[in-house]
Amino acid sequence: MHKSLIALVGAAGIGLAALSAPSTANAGCFGCAVTAGVLGGLFVGAVVGNAVANSPPPGYYPPPPPGYYPPPPPGAAPPPGAYYPPPPAYAQLAPGCHWAKRRVWVEGYGYDWRTVQVCP
């Protein structure tokens, strides 16, 4: 996309330069060539500026949709117990422990809010 846009801008610049180059000594319409050059420059600047402003930054990849967890690589160990879903409500907790929402690191995803067992 960027290479074709650069080629288009280059071709437009060469074409405008060919149009605005003086051919004969004609003093009748000097302002016409200047006006055409200014308008062409503004048009090309607007096209290039719009393309640059609407393009994502280099190396940008949008975040995955919520709830997407990529599959683990082959041979990977199972995740720690904090990453598993909580057991049913009837499960026994250790004395003094409770379930709470905590921000935990999920490999390949980033930080996420999960329900984990919290023991003081």
Side-chain angles (χ1 to χ4, degrees):
M1 174 67 187
H2 291 291
K3 290 181 181 181
S4 61
L5 182 64
I6 291 172
L8 177 68
V9 170
I14 292 172
L16 288 175
L19 288 176
S20 64
S23 58
T24 59
N26 184 3
C29 191
F30 177 71
C32 297
V34 172
T35 304
V38 169
L39 290 177
L42 288 174
F43 177 73
V44 170
V47 168
V48 172
N50 188 21
V52 169
N54 291 327
S55 63
Y60 172 76
Y61 297 100
Y68 171 74
Y69 302 103
Y83 296 113
Y84 288 114
Y90 57 82
Q92 295 293 327
L93 291 174
C97 297
H98 64 280
W99 293 107
K101 288 275 195 181
R102 295 287 190 251
R103 202 168 165 217
V104 295
W105 176 258
V106 179
E107 191 66 36
Y109 180 73
Y111 282 103
D112 193 19
W113 288 94
R114 299 284 175 95
T115 303
V116 295
Q117 186 177 1
V118 179
C119 296

